[in-house]
C-alpha cells in the first residue's frame, strides 16, 4: 500500500508541475488585455511554422494567447532548444531592448494563437504606463530563471 501511495504522490507532483509551469511566467490579465488592445492583429499558426528566424531583423513581439512556441538557437550546426513559451507569455521580449538581429528562431510547436504587436507601439505603451513597466521587469526576471532552470535540468 505504501508503494502505491508514493507512486500516486509522485504522479500528482509531476502533473501539478506540468500544469502549473506554464503559469509561472504569465503576465497579469490586465496587462495581457492592454497588450491585446495595441496589437496590430491576431493570427493562428500551426505546428512547424516560424514566427521569425535567427538572424532576422524583427519589428514585432508576439503575445501567446493559446499554444506553445519554442525558442531555438543554432550551435555547431545543431538546433538547441533554449526555452518554450506558453499562454500569457511574450515571444521576442528581448527585441524591445536590443535593435540587432534575432539571436534565436521562434518555432511553433503546437497550434497557437498569437497577438502581433509592433515594438515601437509597445515601447510607447510602456513609456505611458509605469506600472506595466515594473510588471514587465518582473516577467523578464522570471524568464531568465526559466532559461537557467531549463539549462540545468535539460
Amino acid at each position: 500500500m505504501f508503494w502505491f501511495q508514493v507512486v500516486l504522490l509522485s504522479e500528482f507532483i509531476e502533473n501539478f508541475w506540468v500544469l502549473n509551469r506554464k503559469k509561472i511566467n504569465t503576465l497579469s490579465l490586465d496587462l495581457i488585455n492592454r497588450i491585446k488592445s495595441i496589437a496590430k492583429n491576431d493570427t493562428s499558426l500551426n505546428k512547424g511554422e516560424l514566427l521569425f528566424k535567427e538572424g532576422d531583423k524583427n519589428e514585432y513581439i508576439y503575445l501567446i494567447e493559446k499554444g506553445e512556441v519554442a525558442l531555438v538557437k543554432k550551435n555547431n550546426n545543431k538546433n538547441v532548444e533554449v526555452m518554450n513559451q506558453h499562454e500569457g507569455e511574450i515571444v521576442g521580449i528581448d527585441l524591445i531592448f536590443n535593435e540587432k538581429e534575432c539571436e534565436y528562431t521562434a518555432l511553433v510547436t503546437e497550434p497557437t494563437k498569437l497577438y502581433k504587436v509592433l515594438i515601437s507601439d509597445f515601447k510607447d505603451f510602456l513609456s505611458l504606463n509605469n506600472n506595466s513597466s515594473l510588471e514587465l521587469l518582473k516577467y523578464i526576471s522570471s524568464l531568465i530563471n526559466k532559461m537557467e532552470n531549463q539549462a540545468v535540468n535539460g
Side-chain angles (χ1 to χ4, degrees):
M1 184 68 155
F2 175 73
W3 177 249
F4 181 71
Q5 290 172 325
V6 170
V7 170
L8 284 177
L9 180 60
S10 174
E11 287 179 11
F12 171 78
I13 291 170
E14 182 178 335
N15 289 333
F16 180 81
W17 183 83
V18 167
L19 289 172
N20 289 297
R21 72 186 168 120
K22 295 181 181 182
K23 303 293 182 200
I24 292 172
N25 304 316
T26 58
L27 302 166
S28 70
L29 186 57
D30 178 56
L31 182 55
I32 288 171
N33 287 331
R34 290 195 282 155
I35 292 170
K36 287 179 183 179
S37 75
I38 63 168
K40 291 297 177 198
N41 61 6
D42 64 317
T43 186
S44 294
L45 298 175
N46 294 314
K47 180 178 179 176
E49 293 187 75
L50 300 178
L51 289 176
F52 51 83
K53 296 184 303 194
E54 189 171 341
D56 284 355
K57 181 79 169 139
N58 202 356
E59 297 179 353
Y60 294 92
I61 58 171
Y62 302 86
L63 174 67
I64 301 173
E65 177 160 287
K66 182 180 178 187
E68 181 179 83
V69 175
L71 307 184
V72 179
K73 188 161 179 59
K74 278 200 187 255
N75 186 10
N76 296 327
N77 292 326
K78 290 171 56 178
N79 287 331
V80 177
E81 194 171 291
V82 177
M83 178 174 55
N84 289 325
Q85 291 191 281
H86 306 91
E87 175 182 330
E89 294 188 88
I90 299 173
V91 179
I93 194 74
D94 57 305
L95 302 173
I96 295 169
F97 305 106
N98 73 48
E99 296 182 12
K100 56 184 181 180
E101 298 172 343
C102 297
E103 296 183 358
Y104 52 87
T105 296
L107 172 67
V108 175
T109 57
E110 64 183 54
T112 300
K113 181 177 179 183
L114 305 140
Y115 287 86
K116 187 176 180 178
V117 180
L118 198 58
I119 290 173
S120 59
D121 289 348
F122 194 73
K123 285 180 177 180
D124 291 344
F125 167 79
L126 289 177
S127 69
L128 297 172
N129 296 278
N130 291 333
N131 289 342
S132 297
S133 298
L134 179 59
E135 183 178 343
L136 189 64
L137 287 173
K138 289 178 184 177
Y139 169 72
I140 292 168
S141 176
S142 73
L143 286 179
I144 292 168
N145 289 335
K146 183 177 180 180
M147 286 190 305
E148 289 172 346
N149 289 335
Q150 187 159 339
V152 170
N153 299 322

